[in-house]
Amino acid sequence: MPAPPVDAARRMLTSGVMRIDRLTTQTKQALIAAQEEATSKGHPEILPEHVLVALLADPNGPASSILARAGANPKAVLEGAKAAIARQPRVEGGAEPNLSRRIREVLGQAWKVTEELGDEYTTAGHLLVALVDKDEPVKMLVGVGREAIVGAVR
């Protein structure tokens, strides 16, 4: 029987790539939702696209607002991320998904962005900056650069 999603997400967040005690509640919820999305789709790994879909699930949420202020189209980004997820391989009856190398890099970068911007807690905005910084496929989906997102976060 697979571990409950919260347990899997806690392992993800305590795996040394990010400080769980410095995540906003919304950021924690997005990472849990990303893990749940990967599990429900039968994906062997949690990818940056899973996190992006989780961040943009609420069209009125902070990530959608930040992308819109940065000049991106949040709805189009969400649809592109969903399409990328749909192309991922599926596994049957396996263990819960692991963190991909790509998402480990993004999570580590999110903490660096948090510190760089002088903030104490990692928010959806910090994750968006890190996604664009460290993940070329997501950067292409988003269509705006780091500076635009940082400007929208501030």
Side-chain angles (χ1 to χ4, degrees):
M1 174 181 231
V6 172
D7 291 343
R10 185 171 310 286
R11 281 196 317 279
M12 174 171 66
L13 296 173
T14 58
S15 64
V17 295
M18 187 171 237
R19 292 193 50 192
I20 190 171
D21 62 322
R22 295 297 183 178
L23 299 175
T24 64
T25 300
Q26 286 181 326
T27 304
K28 288 177 193 174
Q29 290 171 343
L31 294 173
I32 290 167
Q35 188 271 332
E36 290 172 343
E37 173 82 5
T39 300
S40 73
K41 302 287 189 205
H43 295 153
E45 293 184 310
I46 301 167
L47 300 170
E49 290 86 353
H50 291 112
V51 173
L52 189 58
V53 166
L55 288 171
L56 296 175
D58 179 359
N60 298 313
S64 296
S65 296
I66 289 166
L67 285 184
R69 286 194 310 269
N73 179 336
K75 186 175 180 181
V77 173
L78 176 60
E79 293 307 314
K82 285 181 177 180
I85 287 172
R87 293 189 297 271
Q88 296 304 311
R90 297 177 57 100
V91 293
E92 297 290 328
E96 61 194 46
N98 293 310
L99 288 176
S100 68
R101 176 193 54 77
R102 289 170 53 210
I103 198 60
R104 284 182 186 274
E105 290 176 1
V106 167
L107 293 175
Q109 181 67 12
W111 179 246
K112 290 178 184 175
V113 170
T114 303
E115 291 180 319
E116 173 189 320
L117 296 180
D119 296 322
E120 291 186 43
Y121 292 91
T122 301
T123 66
H126 299 120
L127 272 176
L128 288 171
V129 173
L131 283 162
V132 170
D133 278 353
K134 286 290 184 180
D135 197 76
E136 193 62 32
V138 168
K139 183 178 181 177
M140 298 303 290
L141 281 173
V142 171
V144 297
R146 178 186 215 279
E147 295 77 22
I149 296 173
V150 169
V153 167
R154 291 189 172 176

